């Protein structure tokens, strides 16, 4: 019988058991006495690290609120309440936004947060999703593409800037991600400018609110959603690290978007000039029934409404006289924050953030029989927060509409699925490279046949630096890594 080990005493074990019993979670200790000393010590450590009263409260609040959102008043964003990079009349303003963003980057005031906790499971890969190669001629991974965009922006600033890169990983991806960066020599960035931190986890529950065990002596846990980034930034020391470096503005995005403009100077400059504490990029929906969340007003505050929350009639509403969808601000998880907001305002707000209920199939051990349960249908609940849960509490929000084909091509689905998959990501990035060259005055051989024409981000971040291509006809299938050695017809 386990009474104490080097990890705990009989008194500390009794105190922990009492805490769990008072929270209604005493069942997790069934069979504890049969564990070997090593497993018992690890289990004690895991249970001690869980604020059981708090997480049990999360479950009760989330399940009580689940399905009761119907009383919310949902309205589209008002016309004119956000700017659009699609509006040619705003060309001068866009130049001002970009200039301000580049000024801030050059002054070392801008950092980037990468949400990279996901694995490539749907893509048939066990590696972190950021390691995935979408089939480009360069064979660059998503991590490499994004790192090279950071390097190019630093170069455009006159090589005087450093853009710190904060990379949020999860338990399953942390070691592999850090090993990938080390093996790639941080993709040409300085190691001291990259900060890794881990997304938090929460226990999994059955439908009655009991914490599940994935095996004897181990609680079943799951990542706490991308909204866990706020707490993870704070507890990891990342925000203090940024403060020490003099950073004031932060751009955040998800790893699975191959078109993301990392540290986007136009977006950063736009939000900064508006005096915003938080901002979001949006793209027009492909169609009224596209299954994507949209940024709107919920009870007169900014929020995101999922496609399942609004009726077909609401989704098809158009703005007077324009024919444009009223609910058209597609959310792409691309955000701006001031460091002051993340460090000083968000901690006060986190208690107000909701947890969302996700009903899942959760493999676990039956604590009564000791049998392993492998469910065929959802049998439990995972709790998660979303990064946009902060929106209703923002006092000064900046929303900017951008072109989907320039800034958003997510990688969500398996190869061959035809939608948001490696093939569409590759197509969209290569098509953007063709547009960059054509905008510079070049002609691409057989452009209509979608050639494998890639311009390295180290050569051009957003179409700049290609002036020497004017009047030239370029070989379609080529990788441009040096503007001086472009292949022409």
């Amino acid at each position: 019988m386990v009474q104490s080990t080097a990890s705990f005493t009989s008194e500390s074990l009794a105190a922990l058991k009492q805490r769990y019993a008072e929270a209604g979670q005493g069942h997790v200790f069934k069979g504890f006495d049969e564990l070997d000393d090593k497993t018992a010590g690890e289990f004690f450590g895991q249970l001690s690290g869980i604020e059981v009263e708090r997480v049990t409260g999360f479950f009760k609040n989330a399940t009580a609120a689940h399905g009761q959102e119907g009383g919310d008043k949902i309205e589209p964003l008002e016309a004119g309440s956000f700017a659009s990079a699609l509006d040619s009349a705003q060309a001068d303003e866009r130049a001002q936004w970009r200039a301000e963003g580049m000024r801030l980057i050059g002054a070392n005031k801008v950092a980037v947060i990468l949400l990279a906790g996901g694995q490539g499971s749907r893509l048939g890969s066990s590696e972190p999703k950021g390691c995935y190669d979408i089939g480009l001629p360069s064979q660059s991974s998503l991590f490499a593409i994004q790192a090279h965009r950071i390097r190019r922006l630093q170069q455009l600033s006159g090589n005087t800037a450093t853009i710190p890169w904060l990379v949020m990983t999860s338990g399953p991806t942390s070691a592999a991600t850090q090993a990938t960066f080390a093996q790639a020599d941080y993709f040409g960035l300085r190691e001291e400018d990259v900060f890794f931190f881990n997304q938090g986890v929460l226990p999994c529950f059955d439908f009655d609110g009991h914490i599940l065990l994935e095996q004897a002596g181990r609680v079943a846990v799951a990542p706490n959603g991308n909204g866990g980034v706020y707490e993870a930034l704070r507890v990891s020391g990342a925000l203090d690290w940024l403060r020490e470096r003099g950073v004031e503005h932060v751009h955040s995005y998800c790893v699975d978007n191959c078109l993301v403009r990392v540290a986007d100077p136009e977006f950063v400059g736009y939000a900064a000039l508006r005096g915003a504490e938080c901002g979001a990029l949006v793209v027009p929906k492909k169609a009224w029934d596209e299954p994507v969340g949209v940024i709107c007003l919920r009870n007169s505050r900014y929020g995101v409404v999922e496609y399942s929350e609004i009726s077909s009639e609401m989704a098809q509403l158009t703005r007077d006289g324009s024919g444009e969808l009223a609910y058209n601000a597609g959310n792409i998880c691309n955000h701006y924050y001031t460091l002051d907001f993340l460090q000083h305002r968000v901690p006060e707000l986190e208690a107000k953030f909701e947890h969302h209920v996700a009903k899942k199939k959760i493999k676990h051990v039956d604590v009564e029989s000791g049998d392993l349960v492998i469910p065929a249908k959802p049998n439990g609940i995972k709790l998660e927060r979303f990064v946009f849960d902060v929106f209703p509490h923002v006092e000064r929000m900046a929303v900017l509409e951008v072109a989907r084909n320039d800034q958003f091509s997510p990688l969500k689905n398996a190869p061959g699925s035809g939608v948001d998959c490696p093939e569409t990501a590759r197509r969209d990035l290569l098509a953007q490279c063709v547009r960059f060259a054509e905008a510079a005055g070049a002609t691409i051989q057989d452009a209509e046949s979608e050639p494998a024409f890639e311009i390295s981000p180290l050569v051009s971040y957003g179409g700049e630096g290609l002036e020497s291509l004017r009047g030239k006809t370029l070989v379609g299938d080529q990788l441009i890594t040096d503007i001086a050695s472009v292949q022409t017809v």
Side-chain angles (χ1 to χ4, degrees):
M1 177 180 292
V2 176
Q3 291 292 337
S4 65
T5 72
S7 302
F8 60 88
T9 65
S10 57
E11 290 80 9
S12 61
L13 177 60
L16 189 63
K17 285 183 175 181
Q18 182 176 347
R19 278 184 55 208
Y20 273 75
E22 291 175 352
Q25 304 291 357
H27 63 282
V28 300
F29 284 97
K30 289 186 178 179
F32 186 91
D33 291 347
E34 281 69 53
L35 300 175
D36 60 68
D37 286 354
K38 181 176 183 296
T39 303
E42 292 172 349
F43 192 30
F44 179 88
Q46 185 190 29
L47 293 173
S48 298
I50 296 172
E51 297 180 75
V52 64
E53 303 86 357
R54 186 171 177 239
V55 300
T56 301
F58 289 164
F59 177 88
K60 292 177 179 177
N61 293 337
T63 52
H66 185 58
Q68 295 184 9
E69 297 86 354
D72 290 346
K73 181 182 179 182
I74 297 174
E75 300 171 287
L77 296 180
E78 295 180 5
S81 66
F82 59 94
S84 175
L86 307 181
D87 184 355
S88 58
Q90 293 192 315
D92 290 343
E93 288 87 344
R94 291 183 62 190
Q96 293 172 8
W97 303 337
R98 178 174 173 79
E100 175 64 6
M102 289 304 297
R103 184 189 71 79
L104 292 170
I105 288 170
N108 295 318
K109 300 298 183 183
V110 179
V112 174
I113 297 171
L114 166 59
L115 307 181
Q119 291 176 286
S121 306
R122 291 186 187 177
L123 307 171
S125 170
S126 60
E127 292 186 306
K129 189 179 282 189
C131 296
Y132 198 83
D133 171 7
I134 60 175
L136 297 174
S138 63
Q139 298 182 316
S140 294
S141 67
L142 294 171
F143 283 144
I145 293 167
Q146 293 157 22
H148 291 168
R149 288 182 182 144
I150 292 175
R151 287 174 59 189
R152 175 61 178 168
L153 271 186
Q154 292 179 162
Q155 182 186 47
L156 289 172
S157 73
N159 286 319
T160 60
T162 297
I163 302 173
W165 200 13
L166 293 86
V167 182
M168 185 175 81
T169 60
S170 63
T173 66
S174 179
T177 298
Q178 294 188 55
T180 296
F181 272 65
Q183 290 163 9
D185 196 19
Y186 291 81
F187 306 101
L189 297 169
R190 298 189 306 177
E191 180 180 354
E192 59 265 32
D193 296 331
V194 181
F195 187 106
F196 296 99
F197 66 106
N198 250 12
Q199 180 178 8
V201 297
L202 286 172
C204 300
F205 297 84
D206 66 17
F207 291 140
D208 294 321
H210 299 119
I211 291 175
L212 295 172
L213 302 185
E214 68 174 37
Q215 62 188 45
R218 185 149 193 87
V219 171
V221 298
N224 59 1
N226 59 20
V229 65
Y230 301 115
E231 183 176 21
L233 283 167
R234 188 174 66 257
V235 301
S236 68
L239 298 179
D240 293 331
W241 183 71
L242 291 179
R243 181 69 65 186
E244 291 170 1
R245 297 175 69 111
V247 167
E248 296 176 1
H249 308 269
V250 180
H251 177 225
S252 173
Y253 68 96
C254 288
V255 71
D256 60 5
N257 179 10
C258 70
L259 295 183
V260 63
R261 297 198 175 181
V262 186
D264 185 351
E266 189 169 309
F267 179 34
V268 169
Y270 166 72
L273 287 173
R274 288 178 67 98
E277 57 187 5
C278 181
L281 286 188
V282 298
V283 297
K285 293 179 66 175
K286 292 179 180 177
W288 70 266
D289 57 350
E290 181 184 6
V292 62
V294 296
I295 295 181
C296 62
L297 299 179
R298 188 193 290 272
N299 299 326
S300 301
R301 306 290 295 181
Y302 283 100
V304 172
V305 58
E306 296 298 337
Y307 66 93
S308 58
E309 292 184 73
I310 59 176
S311 65
S312 297
E313 291 74 20
M314 289 179 67
Q316 294 179 72
L317 286 175
T318 57
R319 296 192 185 277
D320 293 341
S322 69
E324 177 188 341
L325 292 173
Y327 292 93
N328 200 38
N331 178 43
I332 61 172
C333 198
N334 192 317
H335 302 137
Y336 160 92
Y337 310 93
T338 64
L339 183 59
D340 281 344
F341 179 71
L342 291 174
Q343 194 164 34
H344 302 309
R345 285 259 290 129
V346 170
E348 301 171 358
L349 299 172
E350 276 187 284
K352 301 178 182 179
F353 294 173
E354 301 174 355
H355 279 86
H356 305 270
V357 170
K359 295 182 179 180
K360 300 287 187 179
K361 292 184 287 187
I362 303 172
K363 184 169 64 174
H364 67 284
V365 168
D366 185 314
V367 295
E368 298 294 341
S369 65
D371 295 336
L372 179 65
V373 178
I374 304 177
K377 60 182 181 180
N379 66 319
I381 287 174
K382 296 180 180 180
L383 298 177
E384 54 189 4
R385 281 175 169 165
F386 299 146
V387 70
F388 55 73
D389 288 338
V390 74
F391 288 180
H393 310 286
V394 173
E395 297 299 331
R396 300 182 306 281
M397 185 79 174
V399 177
L400 177 62
E401 181 183 55
V402 294
R404 180 190 291 259
N405 66 350
D406 269 336
Q407 299 219 37
F408 186 56
S409 182
L411 181 60
K412 303 288 187 185
N413 302 317
S417 58
V419 179
D420 296 343
C421 61
E423 293 85 359
T424 58
R426 176 184 186 274
R427 177 202 68 200
D428 292 345
L429 194 150
L430 295 180
Q432 183 184 63
C433 292
V434 169
R435 291 196 303 275
F436 285 167
E438 290 179 339
T443 299
I444 310 302
Q445 184 183 43
D446 299 326
E448 67 284 350
S449 63
E450 299 184 359
F453 181 82
E454 181 183 1
I455 301 173
S456 167
L458 293 171
V459 172
S460 183
Y461 174 90
E464 82 295 329
L466 305 178
E467 296 78 11
S468 63
L469 302 183
R470 179 173 296 279
K472 297 179 179 178
T473 298
L474 309 183
V475 172
D477 291 335
Q478 67 170 304
L479 167 63
I480 299 176
T481 59
D482 181 356
I483 199 67
S485 57
V486 172
Q487 301 175 48
T488 60
V489 175

